[in-house]
């Protein structure tokens, strides 16, 4: 790991990079994951590297959606596992209906197993790997991301899929599941097709989602439905694009 002093003006950003580089070396994150991260960094820079109100609004709706779900699943890829394993533990373990399922684009069974093992080592109580157990197929996809564990995404009504490929997001939406994403690019196909898009950096959004879940946990179903019916994803995406344009 690089020695990054706290006084470095870009310390937080450099530490995330470092974590991801190490995660590639550990065989958790794919090499292409570094490129995906760089794309995220560019959008984050344009967004002023802070959490905007449109993201907070989407995070609140996401929490309401997870709390209203019967079987919510957090779909974890190599970047998410590399950057946010400690945050996945908190989310899954504090929300008894929530499962994590490792699902990869650059697929190998070895990497799925390695990520599942990493999450287990961190203490995640409910974690599956697409392709490891009894497997079903998500229609409309030709690559490994179509694999779904029969106890996980296959029976999920709500799927949280940060940093996702657009075609899988669209296939999940077409399958009737509610889809929540975290994506710094408001123009991506994923951002545009998900039901709830949190335009914020992953490791900043997840603790806020955790807080919001704790805050809303004892809220009535009626109030949660009210939050969801008032939420407008198009408006949030427009606000994100305006923020980027205005600088
Ligand atoms: O581990 P695998 O094999 O499943 O592969 C995972 C990656 C991320 C490599 C794969 O899904 C991929 O290529 O993703 P894309 O199509 O590059 O999409 C990633 C999206 O996430 C882009 O829109 C980025 O702007 C965004 N993004 C990248 N890093 C972050 C981010 N959004 C939020 N927080 C980040 N840290």
């Amino acid at each position: 790991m690089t020695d990054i002093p706290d006084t470095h003006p870009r310390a937080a950003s450099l530490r995330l990079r470092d974590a991801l580089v190490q995660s590639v070396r550990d065989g958790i994150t794919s090499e292409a994951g570094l490129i995906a991260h760089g794309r995220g960094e560019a959008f984050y820079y344009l967004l002023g590297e802070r959490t905007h109100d449109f993201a907070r609004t989407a995070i609140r709706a996401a929490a309401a959606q997870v709390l209203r779900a019967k079987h919510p699943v957090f779909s974890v890829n190599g970047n998410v596992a590399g950057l946010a394993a400690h945050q996945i533990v908190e989310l899954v373990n504090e929300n008894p209906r929530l499962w994590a399922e490792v699902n990869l684009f650059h697929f190998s069974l070895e990497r799925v197993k390695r990520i599942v093992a990493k999450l287990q080592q961190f203490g995640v109580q409910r974690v599956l790997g697409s392709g490891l157990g009894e497997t079903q197929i998500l229609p409309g996809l030709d690559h490994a991301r179509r694999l779904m564990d029969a106890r996980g995404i296959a029976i999920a009504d709500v799927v949280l899929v940060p940093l996702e490929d657009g075609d899988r997001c669209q296939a999940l939406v077409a399958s009737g599941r509610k889809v929540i994403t975290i994506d710094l690019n408001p123009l991506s196909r994923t951002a545009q097709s998900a039901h709830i898009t949190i335009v914020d950096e992953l490791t900043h959004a997840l603790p806020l989602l955790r807080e919001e879940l704790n805050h809303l946990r004892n809220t009535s179903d009626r109030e949660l439905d009210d939050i969801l019916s008032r939420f407008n994803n198009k408006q949030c995406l427009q606000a994100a694009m305006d923020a980027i344009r205005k600088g």
Side-chain angles (χ1 to χ4, degrees):
M1 302 287 272
T2 316
D3 183 25
I4 301 161
D6 290 342
T7 49
H8 193 291
R10 302 207 52 76
S13 170
L14 293 176
R15 287 198 179 115
L16 276 190
R17 277 189 182 186
D18 230 34
L20 215 55
V21 168
Q22 186 56 47
S23 182
V24 172
R25 291 187 184 129
D26 294 342
I28 299 289
T29 301
S30 70
E31 289 174 356
L34 296 177
I35 299 169
H37 186 76
R39 186 149 50 143
E41 275 186 348
F43 281 100
Y44 199 32
Y45 190 79
L46 293 171
L47 284 162
E49 297 185 324
R50 66 182 179 88
T51 301
H52 290 257
D53 285 349
F54 51 76
R56 290 182 193 278
T57 304
I59 287 168
R60 193 171 165 77
Q65 190 74 81
V66 169
L67 290 169
R68 284 299 272 132
K70 290 195 176 63
H71 191 66
V73 176
F74 188 156
S75 179
V76 177
N77 66 23
N79 281 50
V80 176
L83 292 175
H86 54 295
Q87 295 168 335
I88 301 169
V89 185
E90 294 165 348
L91 276 178
V92 170
N93 293 2
E94 288 173 8
N95 293 280
R97 285 200 295 269
L98 184 62
W99 285 71
E101 179 167 338
V102 177
N103 180 284
L104 301 181
F105 179 63
H106 306 280
F107 181 83
S108 78
L109 270 182
E110 291 66 39
R111 193 155 71 94
V112 176
K113 283 183 194 160
R114 220 176 285 133
I115 298 175
V116 167
K118 172 174 174 162
L119 295 180
Q120 284 168 339
Q121 273 161 21
F122 269 73
V124 180
Q125 285 163 1
R126 291 172 297 284
V127 54
L128 303 163
S130 301
L132 292 185
E134 193 188 324
T135 301
Q136 292 183 21
I137 298 296
L138 178 65
L141 290 180
D142 292 330
H143 52 75
R145 278 208 154 153
R146 64 188 176 164
L147 305 178
M148 306 184 286
D149 191 287
R151 293 172 299 155
I153 294 169
I155 53 167
D157 51 352
V158 171
V159 189
L160 172 62
V161 284
L163 285 63
E164 183 54 276
D165 294 319
D167 56 349
R168 176 157 177 257
C169 182
Q170 286 174 325
L172 285 166
V173 169
S175 72
R177 295 170 176 86
K178 293 285 180 199
V179 178
I180 303 163
T181 193
I182 303 171
D183 192 328
L184 279 161
N185 177 4
L187 291 165
S188 77
R189 239 174 345 139
T190 295
Q192 296 281 333
S193 53
H195 295 102
I196 300 174
T197 304
I198 301 166
V199 182
D200 196 8
E201 201 283 317
L202 175 78
T203 61
H204 287 86
L206 290 180
L208 295 174
L209 178 60
R210 177 192 183 199
E211 253 176 50
E212 203 60 60
L213 282 161
N214 290 337
H215 179 68
L216 292 177
R217 186 151 294 117
N218 297 318
T219 305
S220 69
D221 287 352
R222 227 186 64 188
E223 280 173 83
L224 294 175
D225 288 344
D226 199 42
I227 292 172
L228 286 168
S229 67
R230 278 186 280 117
F231 177 72
N232 184 328
N233 207 40
K234 292 253 169 309
Q235 256 173 26
C236 282
L237 291 171
Q238 189 55 55
M241 288 186 264
D242 290 347
I244 288 173
R245 281 198 193 99
K246 284 181 196 143

